[in-house]
Amino acid sequence: MTFLAIIIVVFAFAGMIKGMIGLGLPAVSMGLLTIAMSPFQAASLLIVPSMVTNIWQLFAEGRVWAFIRRFWTLLVGIVVGSIWSFLPTLSQSHGHSSEILLGCMLALYGLYGLCVKKLPHLAQHERWLSPIVGYIGGAVTVGTGVVIIPVVPYLQSLHLKRDELVQALGLTFTVSTFCLAFFLHHNPMEGITLDYRLSAVALVAALLGMWLGKKIRYQLNEQRFRRLFFIGLMALGLYMIAH
């Protein structure tokens, strides 16, 4: 019951943050869950909530095929990186390397969110950058359970419109989640089984959290809350590295 309560509280909190500022569900849930369990087990719980919310985000605006045609090299890179990763994966070294790597990614993401005000315009280099960024993103996915660095900053550097950016993130997150699910299924860790019933409970908690977050979104100063979110994310990452 304690284990179940941790899952419900963490995903409800992560969903609430996503409902308020539109991001943070995988990063927050992975960061908090790995305090109480291995990164491999935390990633297995993330599959269903992440898959459902990302697919909804992808298809909400339509024009999916246009995004696939534009970013297909990025997506192929993610798949290749998840199969032939140059980083330690979630199933190696009992998760110690993955926990450090996840801490580094969270800290970098927090620092990036706090410090970067204006990104360079990289659209003219998209043809050759996309497969490289995708490959690194795929390796990070099977190494940490989340795809953050460098995919999110890269897509933002293309200066897409807000709705286009949301849909592009939904597309890359959906593909990376499928890759993560495939990796976890074919690289089981001894003593840990993938429990999709618990993952379904996590989904319900995340959706309730998102509903609550949307309710209170307009009662807060969004910029101030985003700043606090990135500070908290950086602190959580540094704690995981030190721990």
Side-chain angles (χ1 to χ4, degrees), residues 4 25 27 30 33 63 119 121 142 167 175 205 216 232:
L4 186 62
L25 176 63
M30 278 295 295
L33 286 174
R63 299 174 298 149
L119 291 167
H121 202 307
V142 296
Q167 198 164 13
V175 172
I216 64 179

Side-chain angles (χ1 to χ4, degrees), residues 10-222:
V10 166
F11 277 96
F13 178 68
M16 184 180 69
I17 290 177
K18 183 176 178 63
M20 284 191 284
I21 64 175
L23 52 86
L25 176 63
V28 171
S29 54
M30 278 295 295
L32 293 176
L33 286 174
T34 48
I35 297 176
M37 64 188 72
S38 72
F40 185 95
Q41 193 168 16
S44 69
L45 292 171
L46 186 64
I47 293 296
V48 173
S50 183
M51 189 75 72
V52 171
T53 56
N54 289 332
I55 290 176
W56 175 82
Q57 183 174 328
L58 170 61
F59 286 95
E61 300 294 331
R63 299 174 298 149
V64 176
W65 180 241
F67 281 88
I68 293 176
R69 283 187 297 175
R70 177 173 178 178
F71 295 111
W72 71 270
T73 56
L74 177 70
L75 304 179
V76 170
I78 291 174
V79 174
V80 173
S82 67
I83 297 173
W84 293 289
S85 174
F86 66 95
L87 296 171
T89 65
L90 288 164
S91 61
Q92 295 173 347
S93 64
H94 301 286
H96 298 311
S97 299
S98 294
E99 190 169 356
I100 294 173
L101 183 60
L102 177 59
C104 291
M105 291 298 104
L106 295 181
L108 284 172
Y109 189 36
L111 185 63
Y112 153 77
L114 288 172
C115 299
V116 176
K117 301 299 182 183
K118 188 175 181 180
L119 291 167
H121 202 307
L122 299 179
Q124 59 182 332
H125 306 296
E126 183 179 339
R127 182 184 297 271
W128 64 270
L129 268 179
S130 284
I132 297 174
V133 171
Y135 174 76
I136 298 173
V140 169
T141 297
V142 296
T144 67
V146 293
V147 54
I148 300 175
I149 304 293
V151 172
V152 174
Y154 170 68
L155 288 175
Q156 290 177 327
S157 73
L158 299 179
H159 293 269
L160 303 167
K161 295 178 181 179
R162 181 175 180 178
D163 291 342
E164 292 177 338
L165 176 61
V166 169
Q167 198 164 13
L169 289 171
L171 176 62
T172 54
F173 291 165
T174 297
V175 172
S176 64
T177 304
F178 272 112
C179 291
L180 179 62
F182 183 85
F183 171 82
L184 294 177
H185 180 75
H186 289 276
N187 296 272
M189 195 170 179
E190 186 177 354
I192 298 177
T193 57
L194 303 183
D195 193 334
Y196 291 105
R197 291 173 300 179
L198 286 177
S199 198
V201 171
L203 170 63
V204 174
L207 292 176
L208 289 174
M210 288 177 65
W211 174 80
L212 179 61
K214 289 181 179 179
K215 287 289 185 181
I216 64 179
R217 175 190 297 172
Y218 301 108
Q219 301 176 21
L220 297 174
N221 183 313
E222 183 177 346

